Amino acid sequence: MLIEALQKYCDAEKRLWEELNNDKDKQYFIDNANVSEATLLIEDLFRYIRIVTPATFELLLKIDKDAALTFIKKYYLWQDLANYSDNRVYDLKMMFTDIKNILGENELNKILKSKKFLPVNKRNKKVKEAIKFALNED
């Protein structure tokens, strides 16, 4: 039974990655998804499976801006990132860039100036690099 469950999971994950990297599939999702259901599903990917990719965060920003901004604040900016892997901090580079490109630099600046953005994170070398990358990317 476990081997079958693992195979189904691997097959589903492969299909998910293929669709997340297909521009037509992503646009169809954005245009047709039930926002509340889709938001919950993407948040579950982030929370339980720890799948945060440029495509999944981008989709969440496009279908539910508030949920995306709450997610980045709650799971990245309001927690001390010093003990997290570099991958988690690296995700910020992509997330900050997506926020700037999709919502605008003013929205990114609001996030960066949030009083809840922990000062220890603002001093984190990798977080500083992510901020610099997003602000300088055009």
Side-chain angles (χ1 to χ4, degrees):
M1 293 301 253
L2 179 58
I3 192 75
E4 291 170 9
L6 287 169
Q7 185 62 53
K8 285 181 184 179
Y9 175 83
C10 289
D11 292 345
E13 186 176 28
K14 180 180 177 188
R15 184 168 163 231
L16 175 63
W17 286 115
E18 288 170 356
E19 291 189 22
L20 284 172
N21 290 302
N22 182 303
D23 290 337
K24 285 183 181 181
D25 288 338
K26 286 192 305 188
Q27 191 58 51
Y28 182 85
F29 178 85
I30 292 165
D31 294 340
N32 297 291
N34 173 309
V35 173
S36 59
E37 180 183 6
T39 298
L40 289 174
L41 290 170
I42 291 173
E43 287 175 338
D44 282 349
L45 282 174
F46 293 160
R47 266 194 305 276
Y48 302 118
I49 307 174
R50 300 279 188 231
I51 296 177
V52 179
T53 67
T56 52
F57 189 74
E58 174 192 359
L59 287 175
L60 189 58
L61 271 173
K62 288 181 176 179
I63 66 165
D64 194 338
K65 166 191 152 188
D66 294 332
L69 296 178
T70 297
F71 172 79
I72 194 172
K73 291 173 186 174
K74 186 175 180 181
Y75 292 98
Y76 287 82
L77 306 183
W78 299 349
Q79 296 182 30
D80 184 351
L81 297 173
N83 296 322
Y84 286 96
S85 71
D86 284 347
N87 287 346
R88 180 132 186 219
V89 178
Y90 179 80
D91 292 341
L92 284 174
K93 189 181 280 191
M94 168 270 306
M95 290 177 183
F96 288 156
T97 301
D98 280 347
I99 291 168
K100 179 185 161 198
N101 291 341
I102 295 167
L103 304 178
E105 193 166 334
N106 287 337
E107 195 68 44
L108 175 60
N109 285 324
K110 284 183 201 175
I111 296 287
L112 299 177
K113 292 176 182 176
S114 168
K115 291 180 182 185
K116 292 189 176 184
F117 188 171
L118 294 180
V120 69
N121 287 339
K122 290 180 182 180
R123 293 187 302 269
N124 181 304
K125 181 182 175 190
K126 298 285 186 181
V127 174
K128 286 181 180 180
E129 289 172 8
I131 292 168
K132 184 178 178 182
F133 179 84
L135 289 174
N136 292 326
E137 172 146 298
D138 283 318

